Amino acid sequence: MAHLSHAWIVVSSAPEERELQAAALAAAIVCRQQNGASCGQCRDCRKALAGIHPDIIRMERETGEDGKPRRELYVNQIRALCVDAYVLPNEAARKVYIIPEADKMNEAAQNALLKLLEEPPAYAAFILCTGNPEGLLPTVRSRCAVRQYAGLQAAFSDEAEAGAQQLLQAVAAGSRSELFACCMELAGCTTQQALELVECAECRCAQMLCAQRDAMGLPAERLAALHRLLVQSADRLHVNANVKQLFGMVAVIALK
């Protein structure tokens, strides 16, 4: 993730995973190092991952008189977001807007957001989360980079869970020989098996990064770097990268 877009669509059938991946991406955007990934250590990263950063703003559906969320995100809310987007960030170099249920925006709201996506302030970034990307207008989708995730635990096979755990444990052990042996074993997977395994490991890594606990003894900086590597690996597998070469790259880079 050498470069961060100004607008992303995070797609997953699992709401929890959308939240985790949006949080990890938002942390990378506000990170003081500004190198395309969250360092996990600076003040902005720590606040982002704790959910208390003033420059990360969530846009939820309004609550009706019955105390339940309204059916849609309405245009008045998006217009308010558009106005706020031109207010400079409080602490970070960038300002991030997360819309957890982006497909709940009605057509007028999406068209209002489209104008901002086309000509945003240089410091503004937008993360649109959805389990139904078809609920977004084609014009909105075309302005965003898309990150698609398979889902959380229930969506991964037992084999993917076991392989992901094996890979994460090998990295946590800090032994190059153990990591190399693990990666050579995993290199026998098919492309689809490798993609599911890597996405599962990426999801578990994001969970640990955002929870800031149960991190298998990995410091935040190493965990953030591992998450970045897994994202890059999944991207390569989506375009049919050679599985053996990919796990060879992981064996070399993961303990740098």
Side-chain angles (χ1 to χ4, degrees):
M1 201 191 303
H3 172 70
L4 290 176
S5 170
H6 77 282
W8 295 79
I9 298 173
V10 173
V11 181
S12 172
S13 60
E16 183 185 349
E17 182 173 38
R18 296 197 296 267
E19 291 282 341
L20 288 167
Q21 298 295 351
L25 179 55
I29 292 170
V30 300
C31 178
R32 294 194 171 199
Q33 291 192 10
Q34 291 290 293
N35 65 358
S38 167
C39 72
Q41 291 187 321
C42 72
R43 184 177 67 180
D44 287 309
C45 280
R46 292 197 304 271
K47 284 189 173 184
L49 296 172
I52 58 172
H53 201 295
D55 294 317
I56 299 177
I57 299 100
R58 293 171 61 88
M59 180 61 64
E60 307 275 6
R61 283 182 285 166
E62 293 177 337
T63 302
E65 293 180 359
D66 58 0
K68 297 180 180 179
R70 295 187 184 276
R71 187 169 59 89
E72 296 178 324
L73 270 164
Y74 295 102
V75 67
N76 64 306
Q77 293 180 264
I78 300 304
R79 285 173 178 161
L81 183 156
C82 293
V83 171
D84 189 75
Y86 287 94
V87 178
L88 290 170
N90 288 286
E91 297 180 7
R94 301 192 71 184
K95 194 173 186 178
V96 186
Y97 293 89
I98 299 176
I99 305 179
E101 299 175 296
D103 54 291
K104 299 295 184 183
M105 288 187 289
N106 61 28
E107 186 172 348
Q110 292 194 47
N111 281 322
L113 182 63
L114 178 62
K115 295 176 183 178
L116 185 60
L117 294 177
E118 289 173 336
E119 297 182 11
Y123 52 78
F126 308 90
I127 303 174
L128 284 59
C129 303
T130 180
N132 175 32
E134 297 302 317
L136 296 172
L137 296 174
T139 47
V140 170
R141 295 199 304 269
S142 70
R143 300 301 189 276
C144 303
V146 179
R147 296 216 64 83
Q148 181 110 27
Y149 298 94
L152 283 173
Q153 198 159 6
F156 293 117
S157 66
D158 291 343
E159 291 78 9
E161 288 283 356
Q165 184 71 7
Q166 181 183 356
L167 178 60
L168 293 174
Q169 286 177 339
V171 174
S175 166
R176 290 192 178 278
S177 59
E178 183 175 337
L179 177 60
F180 182 81
C182 171
C183 288
M184 291 306 96
E185 180 180 343
L186 297 177
C189 295
T190 66
T191 300
Q192 189 56 44
Q193 289 170 333
L195 177 59
E196 185 184 13
L197 186 157
V198 168
E199 288 185 337
C200 181
E202 178 191 342
C203 180
R204 301 294 165 254
C205 190
Q207 287 176 309
M208 290 187 287
L209 185 62
C210 293
Q212 297 184 323
R213 53 184 171 81
D214 189 29
M216 306 176 76
L218 289 167
E221 183 177 9
R222 176 62 61 83
L223 196 60
L226 177 59
H227 182 261
R228 180 174 75 249
L229 175 60
L230 291 168
V231 168
Q232 293 169 340
S233 299
D235 286 345
R236 293 187 181 200
L237 287 167
H238 273 294
V239 293
N240 293 317
N242 181 284
V243 173
K244 183 175 290 187
Q245 290 179 352
L246 182 127
F247 278 113
M249 177 195 73
V250 171
V252 170
I253 296 176
L255 291 180
K256 276 190 175 181

